[in-house]
Amino acid sequence: MQQLTTRMKEFKRSPISGLLFALVHLAAAVTVFVLLFLIFYILYHGIPNLTLPGLFAWEYDSKNVSMMPAIINTVIMTVLSLAMAVPLGIFSAIYLVEYSRKGNKLVKVIRITAETLSGIPSIVYGLFGYILFVITLGWGYTLLSGAITLAIMILPLIIRTTEEALIAVPDSFREGSFGLGAGKLRTVFKIVLPSAVPGILAGVILAIGRIVGESAALIFTAGTNPAVPDSLFASTRTLSVHMYALLSEGLYTPQAYATAVVLLVVVIGINALSGAVAKKLSSKR
Amino acid sequence: MRKYSEKAMELVFMASATVSIIAVAVICIFLFSKGAPAIFEIGVLDFLGGTVWKPLEGQFGIFPMIVGSIYVTAGAIILGVPVAILCAVFMAKFCSDRLYRFLKPAIDLLAGIPSIVYGFFGLMVVVPMVREFFGGSGKSILTASILLAIMILPTIIGVTESAIRAVPESYYEGALALGATHERSVFFTTLPAAKSGVLAGVVLGIGRAIGETMAVVMIAGNQATLPNGLTSGIRTMTANIVLEMGYASDGIHRNALIATAVVLFVFILIINLSLSLLKRRDD
């Protein structure tokens, strides 16, 4: 209380301080309000729609517009993209952190291109995937086209988070391992990587979030077929694409609300998980 | 034996690392090889400067779309940047640890919400709001700007906050010692010292706004004509691609859409370049 009165005195002497004080609080309040409003708006309007008949039926048809196949497809798409991007990303980061020497030209180019990749909009990825896989290779709209496109898209994210996790491993770990006679490879795999796992995992979880939320890159690569694929070369739609399809048909607003709820819950879960993993990392140190 | 596996794995690591380079190269090659001929076939000036987009009549002017992208991006920056910077200042210099533990995940969540959900929210909430207060159909430059402003908040807040935290505490303490209030010290010594980081955040925000597709396509109205006010609808370059790619027949129409992506890509490259220049100045 006393603190407050001294502050008020200060603001009287310097009104601009009072104004700035009010503005920063207002800005933070607005930001939080927008987030909470969005979440509660979607939940409030969406949750009653979750009980629509057949919304979670195993088979999709135009009557029940079930989102179950889309949910299964999302899982398949996520696993496939991660299977490609995670090893590549981790190996890239190992090269950048453990093997490259300072001032290496190749490393510079790799960093610039990784940064470029992370700035490319998802629609451009989608179009690229369309030109390469759908047209040039003649695959058509397929699960594989979508998964490869997404893998390229999340690669820079995996590289960056893994790099940060590897850099955070103290050099004494490496020196200790070398001192005991281990080679470079053994040091990397047995000492450095295990201690960097939480950081890498937090990055992978963020990447899952991006895959689940992606729609623009998938519409023209994986297509919008609402069935569970029977091969890598079948067309699929993930949950986000499903929602876009519902909205562009314009007839299924209640179902779109329900889909938004599921997407939102998944994203909130993913973010919480990533946060928890990252916290584990910082508490260990 | 061990020597060989060491060497082999180093090569594997290096090969993995070059995938980024290959990816960028392949993306450039495929986009430009399809898009550039289309631009020259239509004519560079007719394509970039033409104001009529009627694919069925063979008119491919994307000037309205370029203007559209720039307008909604500018609108998002005008609305979003002040809020984002102030919020970042609050997080770095004003809020208690307990509040921060709530605020930080909230901002991360804002970044994690899929753009299709943002678009849906915009369609259900922002569009009717704009229709109510400003008239028109509600699908307009203003609507898209408001929604994009929300979407770029977490990007700018994150970069700005870490830039502010990177400023040495002695700047702030020096100002306090000279008798400045907490607010004056933060805004007139710490924040100016972080300005290249803040600018980098804004540039990153521009990149996100101009590349956003699914949210914008649902709320911007998508008329491929030059706008005559804040409440008139607009089509962005990204929306142009999504709207027509599905039914564009093989040939010049499809290639014109790819060429639209090429123009967008060039915008992004310029943004990336200015970003790395900013970072270099920082170091």
Side-chain angles (χ1 to χ4, degrees), chain A residues 5-22, chain B residues 179-188:
Chain A
T5 45
T6 55
R7 296 254 46 198
M8 285 320 274
K9 263 188 211 148
E10 258 181 31
F11 292 157
K12 217 168 244 168
R13 225 182 41 213
S14 158
I16 195 165
S17 297
L19 181 70
L20 290 171
F21 181 84
Chain B
T181 60
H182 174 65
E183 288 78 15
R184 275 176 171 269
S185 309
V186 170
F187 276 91
F188 298 112

Side-chain angles (χ1 to χ4, degrees), chain A residues 35-36 38-39 264-272, chain B residues 103-114 118 154:
Chain A
L35 175 71
L36 294 180
L38 186 146
I39 292 174
L264 209 53
V265 169
V266 170
V267 167
I268 292 173
I270 286 171
N271 268 52
Chain B
L103 212 49
K104 182 71 183 160
I107 303 296
D108 288 344
L109 185 58
L110 212 50
I113 293 174
Y118 272 115

Side-chain angles (χ1 to χ4, degrees), chain A residues 7 10-11 13-14 16-18 20-21 23-25 27-28 30-32 34-39 41-42 87-96 99 101 106 109-110 113-117 119-125 127-128 130-132 135-136 141 152 155 159 181-186 188-189 209 212-216 219-220 240-241 243-244 247 253 256-257 260 263-264 267-268 271 279, chain B residues 2 5-6 9-10 12-21 23-24 26-28 30-31 34 82-87 89-90 94 101-103 105-110 112-121 123-125 150 153 157 179 181-184 187-188 207 210-214 217-218 238 241-246 248 250 254 257-259 261-262 264-265 268-269 272 275-276 279:
Chain A
R7 296 254 46 198
E10 258 181 31
F11 292 157
R13 225 182 41 213
S14 158
I16 195 165
S17 297
L20 290 171
F21 181 84
L23 280 178
V24 291
H25 283 79
V30 165
T31 308
V32 173
V34 167
L35 175 71
L36 294 180
F37 180 61
L38 186 146
I39 292 174
Y41 183 87
I42 301 257
L88 270 180
I90 293 180
F91 283 3
S92 302
I94 289 177
Y95 179 74
L96 290 174
Y99 284 88
R101 283 173 201 88
L106 180 67
V109 179
I110 292 168
T113 49
E115 247 168 62
T116 308
L117 279 182
I120 296 177
S122 48
I123 183 69
V124 173
Y125 278 110
L127 213 53
F128 156 72
Y130 177 75
I131 301 171
L132 176 56
I135 299 183
T136 309
Y141 293 141
I152 301 172
L155 188 61
I159 294 179
K184 181 122 193 168
L185 196 60
R186 191 182 267 254
V188 167
F189 275 110
V212 170
E214 188 50 55
S215 40
I219 291 176
F220 302 121
S240 292
V241 177
M243 188 169 162
Y244 174 72
L247 286 171
T253 307
Y257 266 121
L263 271 176
L264 209 53
V267 167
I268 292 173
N271 268 52
K279 195 180 272 171
Chain B
R2 195 170 109 186
S5 66
E6 290 272 346
M9 276 316 279
E10 184 173 346
V12 170
F13 293 146
M14 197 164 100
S16 308
T18 54
V19 168
S20 306
I21 305 177
V24 170
V26 171
I27 289 172
C28 286
F30 274 90
L31 279 182
K34 288 270 178 187
V83 178
I85 293 179
L86 288 169
C87 186
V89 170
F90 179 80
F94 283 81
R101 273 204 293 274
F102 161 76
L103 212 49
I107 303 296
D108 288 344
L109 185 58
L110 212 50
I113 293 174
S115 46
I116 187 82
V117 175
Y118 272 115
F120 185 53
F121 175 75
L123 190 66
M124 292 298 161
V125 177
I150 298 172
L153 278 180
I157 291 174
T181 60
H182 174 65
E183 288 78 15
R184 275 176 171 269
F187 276 91
F188 298 112
I210 206 167
E212 181 49 49
T213 313
M214 302 316 269
V217 83
M218 295 169 77
T238 52
I241 301 166
V242 166
L243 287 167
E244 300 193 0
M245 204 63 198
D250 209 4
R254 191 159 76 190
L257 293 175
I258 295 170
V262 169
L264 178 67
F265 194 55
I268 293 290
L269 288 181
N272 269 355
L275 200 60
S276 55
K279 272 190 192 146

Side-chain angles (χ1 to χ4, degrees), chain A residues 15-264:
Chain A
I16 195 165
S17 297
L19 181 70
L20 290 171
F21 181 84
L23 280 178
V24 291
H25 283 79
L26 184 70
V30 165
T31 308
V32 173
F33 171 77
V34 167
L35 175 71
L36 294 180
F37 180 61
L38 186 146
I39 292 174
F40 284 111
Y41 183 87
I42 301 257
L43 292 183
Y44 178 78
H45 290 272
I47 287 177
N49 289 322
L50 283 174
T51 53
L52 286 170
L55 197 62
F56 293 99
W58 292 105
E59 294 279 330
Y60 171 99
D61 58 52
S62 58
K63 224 182 242 153
N64 67 15
V65 286
S66 164
M67 65 166 102
M68 204 61 196
I71 292 176
I72 298 169
N73 288 342
T74 308
V75 175
I76 299 174
M77 187 68 84
T78 307
V79 170
L80 264 180
S81 315
L82 288 182
M84 288 181 262
V86 170
L88 270 180
I90 293 180
F91 283 3
S92 302
I94 289 177
Y95 179 74
L96 290 174
V97 177
E98 307 289 332
Y99 284 88
S100 68
R101 283 173 201 88
K102 257 210 161 120
N104 187 331
K105 279 264 162 56
L106 180 67
V107 172
K108 251 187 207 159
V109 179
I110 292 168
R111 276 187 211 285
I112 291 172
T113 49
E115 247 168 62
T116 308
L117 279 182
S118 66
I120 296 177
S122 48
I123 183 69
V124 173
Y125 278 110
L127 213 53
F128 156 72
Y130 177 75
I131 301 171
L132 176 56
F133 304 118
V134 179
I135 299 183
T136 309
L137 296 178
W139 292 355
Y141 293 141
T142 62
L143 175 62
L144 191 60
S145 318
I148 299 176
T149 309
L150 286 186
I152 301 172
M153 206 177 88
I154 59 168
L155 188 61
L157 177 66
I158 308 258
I159 294 179
R160 207 197 54 231
T161 47
T162 308
E163 242 190 298
E164 278 164 14
L166 291 177
I167 290 171
V169 175
D171 268 339
S172 56
F173 282 31
R174 298 181 181 88
E175 285 154 9
S177 171
F178 290 144
L180 291 171
K184 181 122 193 168
L185 196 60
R186 191 182 267 254
T187 306
V188 167
F189 275 110
K190 299 267 162 157
I191 306 294
V192 180
L193 265 188
S195 20
V197 161
I200 297 172
L201 213 55
V204 171
I205 296 168
L206 281 183
I208 296 176
R210 286 215 43 193
I211 296 171
V212 170
E214 188 50 55
S215 40
L218 287 175
I219 291 176
F220 302 121
T221 53
T224 55
N225 184 26
V228 178
D230 45 16
S231 82
L232 284 177
F233 291 93
S235 168
T236 66
R237 69 159 66 150
T238 64
L239 204 53
S240 292
V241 177
H242 177 68
M243 188 169 162
Y244 174 72
L246 290 183
L247 286 171
S248 57
E249 281 161 34
L251 300 168
Y252 302 113
T253 307
Q255 284 88 345
Y257 266 121
T259 314
V261 170
V262 175
L263 271 176
L264 209 53

